Amino acid sequence: AALRAVPARRPDRTSPIAMSAKPREIDVIGGSVVLIGHGLLTQIPALLREPKLAIKASKFVVVSDKTVFALYGQQLLDAFEAAGVSAISYVIEPGESSKDRLVKERIEDFMLEQRCQRDTCMVALGGGVVGDLTGFVAATFMRGVPVVQIPTSMMAMLDSSVGGKTAINVPAGKNLIGAFHQPRRVFADIDLLKSLGQREISEGLAEAIKMGCIRSAPLFDLLETRVDEVRALEHDVISQVVYESVRLKAEVVALDEKEAGLRSTLNFGHTIGHAIEGLASPQMLHGECVSIGCVLEATLARDLGHLAPSAVGRILRVMKAYALPVECPPKYLVLPKLMKKMAVDKKNAAGVIRCTILTGIGSCFEHPQPVDKAVFEQLLSPQLLVRPMSVKADATVHVPGSKSISNRVLLMAAMGEGEITISGLLQSDDTQVMISALSAMGAGPFHWDESGRFLTLRGLGGRFQVPKEPMYLGNAGTAARFLTTCATLILSPGSSSVLTGDKRMKVRPIKDLTDALSACGCSIKHLESPTSLPIEVAASGLAGGRIELSGKVSSQFVSSVLISAPYAQKPVELILPEPPVSQTYIDMTIKLMAVFGVKVEQEGTTVYRVPRKSYTNPKAHQVECDASSATYPLAIAAITGGTVTAEAVGANSIQGDAKFALLLKDMGCTIEQDADRTRVSGPSGGRRLKAVDVDMEPMTDAFMTAVALAAVAEGTTRITGIDNQRVKECNRIEVMVSELTKLGVPAGELPDGIWITGVDPETATLRPAVISCHNDHRIAMSFAVLGARIPQITIGQKSCVEKTYPEFWADMSRHLGMRYDAPPEMVSDAASVDADVQMPLPADERSVVLIGMRGAGKTHLGKAAAAHLGWDFIDLDHLYEARHGPIMQTVAAEGWSAFRERELAILKETLSTKSARTVIACGGGIVETAEARAVLRAHWPVVQARKPIADIEAYLGADASRPSLGEPPAVAYA
Ligand SMILES: NC(=O)c1ccc[n+]([C@@H]2O[C@H](COP(=O)([O-])OP(=O)(O)OC[C@H]3O[C@@H](n4cnc5c(N)ncnc54)[C@H](O)[C@@H]3O)[C@@H](O)[C@H]2O)c1
Ligand SMILES: [Zn+2]
């Protein structure tokens, strides 16, 4: 069938959605009218007499749940009374379990008892539960009576109260019995939302974000740019969100009341969301599951090639901004169960999983599309089993742009003269922060084309404005450092800019830079920590002249001054007392400044002279692809004996890792490199890659890709010069060795590197392995390369590629022909889980571990502490004895090490099940094993109980239940 995409609507920033304070009306089909405003509740009985809204009824039956009735029920009944209208009420228990047959019957019987006739009107005062249930009763009571909805939850106001779907739940599933019954009137009183908690507000807003995704870029923009006001229920903004959501829903319902096609696009995010909800409810709320579903279903659209990666990034970020979850918590990620839930969803005809596919922000295919089950399995599976490639790679790829280059180019373009179109920009949190901050300083507008691939803007010619509010820079290092000098350029006496960031940013150093700028006449105040953000920068201009700066901590300080220097009042001479760190990044800055027409004069690595001059924007600039990301597809060519061309990274590259191709040549590949592309052909015809001896200091990020190739190369490879890789996302050298060893590939550490003896995959005996990724994108990607050649490699945490190369898995399969399976059984990948998904506990609720010498009073103290805090108390020795019998017996029969092993197992189990609000007492000897120490150090506060040795000896002498230490206590404890 031909697919027809609804045309994407361009975000129209010139005419923002109109705001209005008066109640606004929307007509839905079937005579249904929605009124949106505030202070409506008590006016409703009167409004129900106005000509346009009138309902003729002799009696009104208000149905509500206990919680909502306690808040608003009496006010409403009083208003009815005041209006001289007869109204009675029926109150149900709050919660989903009320949406069932029994409660429906009770309401019906109540109404019959009260002699309600056909001229009765029902009023649903509550959330979606009350709305659905009341609507369904109204649909069949006396063959149908009118119903008025007064939605009180965010979800009900935005979504469920409009459209006429009513239902109850039955044992076979949710919402399976129901009717289409349009409410005659819907009164959306914004004020009623004020009694909701922050979590419930955000949860409901997930539906509005969903609506923006499928049908309205302006609504999405509104939710994206006014997060704080929306969450605070700021009146104009929230009523606008409600108005737009309802208007769009009414539009869809009018076109497709009975859900033949278009209306089912409203299920975006719900195909997966409902499945998760089935496992996670009631711990997770509907909207929270929908949030995860939207992100995953957008990812699916991206992977199928329909949606630009930038759009997925925006959806993900907006959900996070509303504190909504974006990943399924591991405990609910049970693939077979999720798949089963999706297959039985009533919207799926004949076992096919149908899913709304986005084509942009604000547009989607008109009908949900059938999607292969296997595609869903791969999408949902947190792990991937890589299949060895049976064909040689033969492709051209365009990996995402370099982050360092992206942010430099954005800033120079915003400062320069003239219009510029930037292509290849990396889409990530860091670039987003930069764009928002530049907008706040008056740059832009930044206009994305519909494909999300080209960004156009007109430079300010250096005329930045003071931002109206503090600029929040998250944890984006380049933005924080670069914009600090930028802010000094503004000349607007008496005003100032404030730069701030997240918790992590508030401890990252910036003092060397602020000191240097202050020394040349700028006025910069540190508002909290004396060495970090937040800072307040006076808008008094940058004098320029001689600036002395230390580049020992970060090369970004140097780049920061260099990039802004052309706009100083005098030419700048930047002096570094010592050579800076990471010179390659300073070189990158200088080369990019030249592209924008400013030539820096350099004396060695410590003196830089910058002329006074505005940047001239080139008409178009292509951001180089990230050279480190490009190493993976190129390595696939090498390892399969195929040919791969990487675009936008070549001999002219300003990135160190572009030299990787030369290393591939030494390993036996054929290389063709021109100015801006690199082509690699791997050895074929039975020839293998060759081992090398190489210093990779100039391209450290690429070393792991080289390791993957070395694992199948002939001979022993030695890679040195990569010592800094021990302090990246993880100790990369150690992890590469341990994961290769798991597979059966010989490898070991060198003082500043690694050695690997390659195996012949045709003849070697290797073991299947789940690779622990340690939340490190490069581990995942390099082992994926190896998986193209060696069978049975499972990547333990596929999502870590998001950091620099979100489309990695899709690119590898779509362009290079790599295939994956969802592993039949999920293997726990403790290393990654620990780093990433463990829920952060507030520090003051984390369980405390009490250790100490035997007899030091741990039990006594522990119990007292627990009682004082109102926490639980657990004695590990007691747990041990309950399970394995007396400790003495274990030690006597099997020795200390057997005891320690079991004790450690119990400790781990206890810490995972009782991670909060528990005092856990264990023997002091527990810290004898390195593993136990590591487990404790990882997360928990440990308190040691002490007591004088002599007292302990006296006390222990009398206790026969303890095993012999093999020596007197005083010796053992020394
Ligand atoms: N008919 C539709 O088109 C449609 C669409 C989506 C969802 N639904 C249904 O909606 C239901 C979920 O609705 P929900 O999320 O509103 O749940 P809900 O009705 O259970 O309300 C959630 C909780 O919030 C409380 N509450 C509601 N308003 C409040 C207020 N103003 N102040 C304080 N507390 C308040 C309620 O008492 C309840 O405890 C589900 O049953 C779902 O199937 C229907
Ligand atoms: Zn929903």
Side-chain angles (χ1 to χ4, degrees):
L3 303 180
R4 197 157 68 81
V6 179
R9 274 173 260 178
R10 181 175 302 189
D12 183 359
R13 289 171 200 276
T14 47
S15 63
I17 298 174
M19 305 285 173
S20 143
K22 277 191 255 122
R24 292 209 273 169
E25 255 176 52
I26 298 171
D27 290 312
V28 196
I29 50 165
S32 181
V33 179
V34 185
L35 204 66
I36 300 162
H38 70 131
L40 291 179
L41 182 70
T42 51
Q43 299 173 38
I44 290 172
L47 286 168
L48 283 173
R49 285 180 169 160
E50 283 186 7
K52 169 114 202 248
L53 300 173
I55 294 179
K56 283 212 176 61
S58 67
K59 190 179 272 180
F60 287 83
V61 180
V62 177
V63 179
S64 190
D65 72 26
K66 275 187 183 157
T67 312
V68 176
F69 192 83
L71 288 161
Y72 306 113
Q74 203 52 50
Q75 281 180 59
L76 181 64
L77 291 179
D78 290 350
F80 271 112
E81 204 186 320
V85 178
S86 149
I88 54 174
S89 62
Y90 190 89
V91 179
I92 61 171
E93 290 297 322
E96 189 70 29
S97 58
S98 286
K99 237 176 87 171
D100 80 342
R101 286 173 171 149
L102 193 68
V103 182
K104 174 173 180 273
E105 272 172 35
R106 287 201 193 125
I107 300 175
E108 289 162 348
D109 292 344
F110 166 78
M111 289 170 63
L112 293 169
E113 262 167 42
Q114 299 287 324
R115 300 180 193 283
C116 294
Q117 308 281 327
R118 292 203 60 177
D119 63 350
T120 301
C121 176
M122 298 192 72
V123 178
L125 173 68
V129 166
V130 169
D132 277 17
L133 175 68
T134 312
F136 187 38
V137 172
T140 58
F141 187 81
M142 304 271 165
R143 298 203 179 85
V145 293
V147 62
V148 169
Q149 296 277 354
I150 308 174
T152 62
S153 70
M154 182 68 87
M155 204 284 306
M157 204 169 284
L158 293 167
D159 187 11
S160 68
S161 62
V162 178
K165 281 211 253 171
T166 74
I168 55 168
N169 305 327
V170 289
K174 278 189 66 176
N175 296 332
L176 291 183
I177 307 290
F180 284 98
H181 186 57
Q182 293 295 342
R184 293 283 285 282
R185 309 288 173 253
V186 180
F187 295 98
D189 183 347
I190 308 291
D191 290 347
L192 304 189
L193 299 172
K194 289 184 182 143
S195 48
L196 292 168
Q198 216 28 268
R199 184 176 174 200
E200 286 72 30
I201 291 176
S202 285
E203 186 256 332
L205 287 167
E207 303 282 0
I209 299 172
K210 171 206 78 178
M211 189 61 97
C213 289
I214 55 178
R215 281 192 84 77
S216 168
L219 174 60
F220 189 93
D221 280 4
L222 180 72
L223 288 157
E224 188 181 47
T225 51
R226 318 272 304 255
V227 177
D228 294 337
E229 291 144 283
V230 174
R231 295 190 74 189
L233 302 177
E234 205 268 286
H235 181 263
D236 285 357
V237 181
I238 192 68
S239 41
Q240 194 53 35
V241 169
V242 175
Y243 178 81
E244 282 299 310
S245 303
V246 171
R247 187 183 65 76
L248 291 160
K249 180 150 183 193
E251 194 177 281
V252 173
V253 172
L255 292 167
D256 177 18
E257 185 182 6
K258 298 282 159 73
E259 198 161 323
L262 182 64
R263 186 165 180 177
S264 48
T265 59
L266 297 177
N267 274 316
F268 174 63
H270 285 63
T271 305
I272 293 173
H274 271 151
I276 296 174
E277 193 180 0
L279 300 184
S281 174
Q283 279 77 25
M284 288 177 74
L285 305 174
H286 175 74
E288 294 172 338
C289 300
V290 169
S291 165
I292 299 169
C294 287
V295 171
L296 283 169
E297 290 175 27
T299 307
L300 174 70
R302 178 196 75 194
D303 291 354
L304 295 172
H306 297 300
L307 185 66
S310 55
V312 184
R314 284 178 71 192
I315 296 171
L316 183 107
R317 278 190 289 273
V318 89
M319 294 299 184
K320 280 191 187 165
Y322 286 93
L324 288 163
V326 294
E327 285 182 55
C328 183
K331 64 176 156 180
Y332 306 125
L333 234 176
V334 188
L335 208 49
K337 286 196 190 165
L338 288 175
M339 293 306 297
K340 211 169 141 205
K341 294 239 180 250
M342 276 196 268
V344 302
D345 192 312
K346 64 182 178 301
K347 280 124 203 155
N348 292 322
V352 184
I353 299 181
R354 293 162 63 85
C355 184
T356 301
I357 301 292
L358 290 189
T359 53
I361 297 284
S363 63
C364 62
F365 285 110
E366 201 171 321
H367 293 277
Q369 300 298 310
V371 178
D372 210 3
K373 265 183 86 172
V375 173
F376 269 104
E377 280 172 358
Q378 286 179 27
L379 178 72
L380 287 168
S381 171
Q383 311 187 325
L384 287 178
L385 174 61
V386 181
R387 282 194 221 159
M389 285 171 63
S390 50
V391 288
K392 295 175 174 186
D394 179 9
T396 298
V397 291
H398 199 113
V399 303
S402 145
K403 177 170 94 181
S404 314
I405 298 179
S406 293
N407 266 352
R408 283 167 171 79
V409 166
L410 276 173
L411 178 52
M412 291 182 204
M415 290 173 135
E417 308 269 4
E419 190 172 272
I420 179 172
T421 298
I422 305 169
S423 54
L425 201 72
L426 175 70
Q427 306 281 342
S428 71
D429 287 350
D430 286 26
T431 47
Q432 193 54 46
V433 160
M434 183 63 108
I435 291 176
S436 312
L438 290 171
S439 308
M441 293 171 78
F446 293 79
H447 179 77
W448 287 101
D449 81 319
E450 266 163 30
S451 71
R453 292 184 171 87
F454 297 93
L455 179 74
T456 303
L457 74 143
R458 175 168 288 284
L460 285 170
R463 289 173 293 275
F464 281 119
Q465 297 159 14
V466 173
K468 291 193 188 70
E469 280 160 26
M471 291 195 286
Y472 177 76
L473 305 172
N475 189 23
T478 41
R481 274 78 180 259
F482 293 178
L483 294 175
T484 295
T485 315
C486 239
T488 67
L489 297 176
I490 309 173
L491 196 56
S492 167
S495 48
S496 59
S497 320
V498 173
L499 285 76
T500 185
D502 69 5
K503 259 201 210 140
R504 171 96 187 97
M505 181 56 88
K506 287 181 177 183
V507 296
R508 292 175 69 180
I510 197 160
K511 187 157 169 22
D512 288 342
L513 178 60
T514 52
D515 278 353
L517 293 169
S518 302
C520 89
C522 300
S523 153
I524 303 178
K525 251 191 277 171
H526 285 265
L527 300 177
E528 288 174 24
S529 141
T531 53
S532 308
L533 258 45
I535 52 173
E536 183 177 350
V537 182
S540 47
L542 177 63
R546 187 186 158 96
I547 302 178
E548 256 189 63
L549 169 74
S550 164
K552 289 270 35 124
V553 172
S554 169
S555 67
Q556 286 172 2
F557 301 161
V558 180
S559 290
S560 172
V561 173
L562 288 175
I563 293 173
S564 288
Y567 296 92
Q569 286 145 9
K570 280 182 293 188
V572 169
E573 185 179 34
L574 177 63
I575 314 279
L576 313 184
E578 302 163 89
V581 292
S582 312
Q583 179 72 35
T584 43
Y585 286 98
I586 297 174
D587 294 345
M588 177 188 280
T589 301
I590 291 173
K591 284 181 186 155
L592 286 169
M593 286 171 72
V595 171
F596 284 79
V598 174
K599 265 197 70 144
V600 176
E601 217 184 280
Q602 213 176 324
E603 265 175 42
T605 58
T606 54
V607 180
Y608 302 83
R609 280 185 209 88
V610 188
R612 267 199 83 199
K613 187 169 187 226
S614 187
Y615 290 118
T616 313
N617 286 343
K619 276 208 150 29
H621 182 81
Q622 161 131 309
V623 171
E624 268 184 34
C625 282
D626 187 85
S628 324
S629 298
T631 64
Y632 305 105
L634 294 177
I636 296 277
I639 210 167
T640 61
T643 298
V644 171
T645 305
E647 287 189 325
V649 47
N652 278 2
S653 171
I654 54 177
Q655 303 171 70
D657 287 358
K659 305 237 168 356
F660 184 69
L662 304 177
L663 172 62
L664 291 179
K665 193 169 172 197
D666 291 343
M667 296 186 87
C669 299
T670 312
I671 308 300
E672 281 170 66
Q673 198 170 39
D674 57 29
D676 50 14
R677 68 170 63 204
T678 303
R679 170 173 296 155
V680 170
S681 302
S684 57
R687 283 179 307 129
R688 285 176 64 193
L689 290 163
K690 291 183 301 219
V692 286
D693 209 325
V694 58
D695 177 352
M696 290 189 77
E697 203 270 333
M699 46 171 161
T700 48
D701 267 350
F703 103 88
M704 304 156 93
T705 323
V707 169
L709 297 179
V712 293
E714 209 165 358
T716 297
T717 292
R718 293 160 44 88
I719 299 173
T720 52
I722 52 168
D723 207 28
N724 71 343
Q725 297 293 304
R726 292 186 189 276
V727 293
K728 293 288 175 168
E729 279 79 349
C730 60
N731 180 338
R732 288 176 162 170
I733 298 177
E734 185 185 292
V735 172
M736 287 309 275
V737 169
S738 74
E739 301 310 294
L740 286 174
T741 314
K742 265 191 202 167
L743 289 163
V745 177
E749 295 188 33
L750 297 171
D752 67 338
I754 184 172
W755 62 264
I756 311 100
T757 300
V759 297
D760 182 347
E762 311 296 332
T763 56
T765 353
L766 296 168
R767 294 181 289 267
V770 179
I771 305 302
S772 297
C773 294
H774 296 263
N775 211 20
D776 185 335
H777 50 142
R778 302 210 182 281
I779 303 228
M781 293 191 281
S782 49
F783 275 94
V785 168
L786 189 54
R789 197 76 179 80
I790 289 185
Q792 298 293 328
I793 291 186
T794 299
I795 306 301
Q797 189 197 12
K798 72 169 193 211
S799 62
C800 51
V801 304
E802 297 283 337
K803 178 155 186 195
T804 48
Y805 195 170
E807 313 92 295
F808 177 78
W809 302 109
D811 271 5
M812 293 301 118
S813 75
R814 278 208 296 149
H815 301 308
L816 299 180
M818 196 185 254
R819 295 285 170 264
Y820 328 102
D821 296 297
E825 252 176 82
M826 219 84 72
V827 192
S828 90
D829 174 15
S832 307
V833 170
D834 267 353
D836 196 29
V837 272
Q838 201 163 61
M839 291 284 179
L841 279 172
D844 56 356
E845 288 194 10
R846 230 173 265 170
S847 293
V848 170
V849 178
L850 192 56
I851 63 167
M853 303 176 191
R854 186 191 293 171
K858 296 183 300 280
T859 310
H860 184 78
L861 280 174
K863 278 188 179 160
H868 178 74
L869 291 165
W871 288 13
D872 290 344
F873 174 77
I874 290 180
D875 186 332
L876 283 198
D877 284 354
H878 290 170
L879 269 186
Y880 186 99
E881 301 207 323
R883 215 172 276 183
H884 304 294
I887 297 174
M888 273 182 77
Q889 258 174 31
T890 306
V891 176
E894 297 167 70
W896 278 104
S897 65
F899 165 65
R900 289 280 173 239
E901 214 169 274
R902 285 180 204 157
E903 185 189 36
L904 176 63
I906 294 181
L907 173 71
K908 284 187 184 167
E909 182 192 316
T910 309
L911 289 176
S912 71
T913 53
K914 298 294 234 171
S915 57
R917 304 173 65 82
T918 310
V919 178
I920 302 168
C922 46
I926 196 132
V927 295
E928 272 178 18
T929 66
E931 197 179 348
R933 287 197 298 273
V935 166
L936 291 174
R937 201 179 300 127
H939 295 290
W940 277 272
V942 177
V943 175
Q944 189 190 6
R946 284 161 175 266
K947 195 167 161 184
I949 289 290
D951 295 356
I952 292 181
E953 273 179 326
Y955 171 72
L956 286 184
D959 187 349
S961 70
R962 318 260 176 161
S964 160
L965 291 167
E967 54 202 343
V971 177
Y973 293 135

